[in-house]
Amino acid sequence: MGGLLTELGKRLAERWMSLLVLPGALFLAAAFAARTLGHAHAVDLDLLVGEAQAWRPAPGAGAGARLAVLLLVVALLAAAVGLVAQTLGSLVERLWFAADWGSWPRPLRALARWQVARRRQRRAGAVAAYERERQRSSELLASGTPGGGTELGPARLAVARVSPEEPHRPTWSGDRMHAVTLRLARDLDLDLATVWPALWQLLPDASRQQIETAREALDRATTLVAWAVLYAVLAVWWWPALPLAVATYVTARLRIRSGVDAYAALIEASVHVYVAELAERLHVPAQGVVGRRTGWEVTCLLQGKRHLIDLTAHEPQ
């Protein structure tokens, strides 16, 4: 047990350092440079080094203790800044995925509604272009033209770039996650929010680890947006923080898009692979293939609505 607790403590310390202290220390260093240099001496390294040396404890008795205290204070401040970034990252995630945009304050809600309408128009245009390309390909094949037919991959990709399904959220990431719910409801009559907690209990450790890893990567990406915001604030006093903020934001945006895609794909695949086992555990007959009836019964049972299944079971066929 002692070895387990020691190993657990090491892992917690590593996560504390990597997620909070190190990013926070980098931000504190940038804040120190902003305070010291300002816009007038933005890249004056000699001035920065001289100011940093002034913070070094004077030689003599107790210098080591004072240095240790200074390092401890810096570590605590860095951790505090890291916690602020983590909290801001949670807000960024809520805004980025916009699952509850209908309950936002009126100005934000109106902006989100306009963005959803705009994205629907863009997707409708992309779908129309895909249909025209598909029709043209069919006509070429029917006419027997040598090499007839066209590559539909780019047209399909243009549709997916806007949204994998009809847009309901103001962002691609929000729609990518929502598309999983839409497809499971349409194809299996299954409510993901209801089924997922029960399904999670059946997943093997390897599948859980993959999903947790994808989720952690997504959390880190949204937190990276928060760091970009904090660095953008420093740009008010020190202009080199602005390109740093832009680079951080661009990196975060790319990571969020890839992270959302991976996380959503893992969730959807896990449901399709293990929902039959869940139905079996709930004594719902799947008859080899999970269909809409099975998905609906699983959802009703998990929602405590068995009476609906009993009523439909006695309906005339």
Side-chain angles (χ1 to χ4, degrees), residues 207-273:
S207 297
R208 288 190 184 186
Q209 184 62 42
Q210 284 183 320
I211 294 173
E212 288 174 347
T213 300
R215 180 61 192 179
E216 289 175 0
L218 189 55
D219 289 341
R220 288 194 296 270
T222 53
T223 302
L224 201 57
V225 176
W227 284 115
V229 173
L230 293 177
Y231 280 112
V233 172
L234 285 184
V236 175
W237 298 278
W238 188 52
W239 65 261
L242 183 58
L244 182 59
V246 171
T248 303
Y249 175 77
V250 172
T251 303
R253 185 180 179 87
L254 294 175
R255 289 185 180 180
I256 288 176
R257 193 177 181 95
S258 61
V260 167
D261 196 33
Y263 182 63
L266 286 171
I267 295 293
E268 190 169 8
S270 298
V271 173
H272 283 293
V273 171

Side-chain angles (χ1 to χ4, degrees), residues 53-75:
Q53 289 177 342
W55 284 77
R56 185 179 58 185
R66 290 195 295 272
L67 180 60
V69 171
L70 178 61
L71 292 176
L72 178 61
V73 170
V74 170

Side-chain angles (χ1 to χ4, degrees), residues 57-230:
R66 290 195 295 272
L67 180 60
V69 171
L70 178 61
L71 292 176
L72 178 61
V73 170
V74 170
L76 291 176
L77 287 176
V81 174
L83 286 175
V84 171
Q86 294 277 355
T87 303
L88 186 57
S90 299
L91 177 60
V92 168
E93 180 177 322
R94 181 177 179 182
L95 294 175
W96 205 284
F97 295 143
D100 57 345
W101 68 266
S103 62
W104 288 359
R106 181 172 297 178
L108 291 178
R109 186 168 66 246
L111 180 61
R113 185 180 294 110
W114 172 82
Q115 178 68 0
V116 170
R118 175 175 171 272
R119 298 185 71 250
R120 286 181 176 176
Q121 290 178 352
R122 286 180 56 204
R123 190 176 192 275
V127 169
Y130 170 77
E131 292 297 334
R132 288 194 300 269
E133 196 68 17
R134 189 168 66 88
Q135 180 65 27
R136 177 172 172 269
S137 178
S138 299
E139 291 174 354
L140 290 174
L141 289 172
S143 65
T145 303
T150 58
E151 178 59 49
L152 297 178
R156 282 195 295 265
L157 184 59
V159 175
R161 282 199 187 105
V162 180
S163 178
E165 296 287 340
E166 182 71 13
H168 290 79
R169 308 278 175 83
T171 64
W172 182 91
S173 297
D175 273 321
R176 180 65 184 91
M177 292 300 301
H178 189 53
V180 178
T181 302
L182 289 177
R183 285 198 285 254
L184 292 174
R186 180 186 62 211
D187 300 338
L188 299 179
D189 207 359
L190 184 146
D191 182 67
L192 179 61
T194 299
V195 172
W196 183 250
L199 193 67
W200 179 257
Q201 308 304 316
L202 300 179
L203 296 183
D205 291 340
S207 297
R208 288 190 184 186
Q209 184 62 42
Q210 284 183 320
I211 294 173
E212 288 174 347
T213 300
R215 180 61 192 179
E216 289 175 0
L218 189 55
D219 289 341
R220 288 194 296 270
T222 53
T223 302
L224 201 57
V225 176
W227 284 115
V229 173
L230 293 177

Side-chain angles (χ1 to χ4, degrees), residues 272-283:
H272 283 293
V273 171
Y274 295 102
V275 70
E277 183 178 349
L278 177 61
E280 182 181 351
R281 295 289 186 94
L282 295 174
H283 305 290

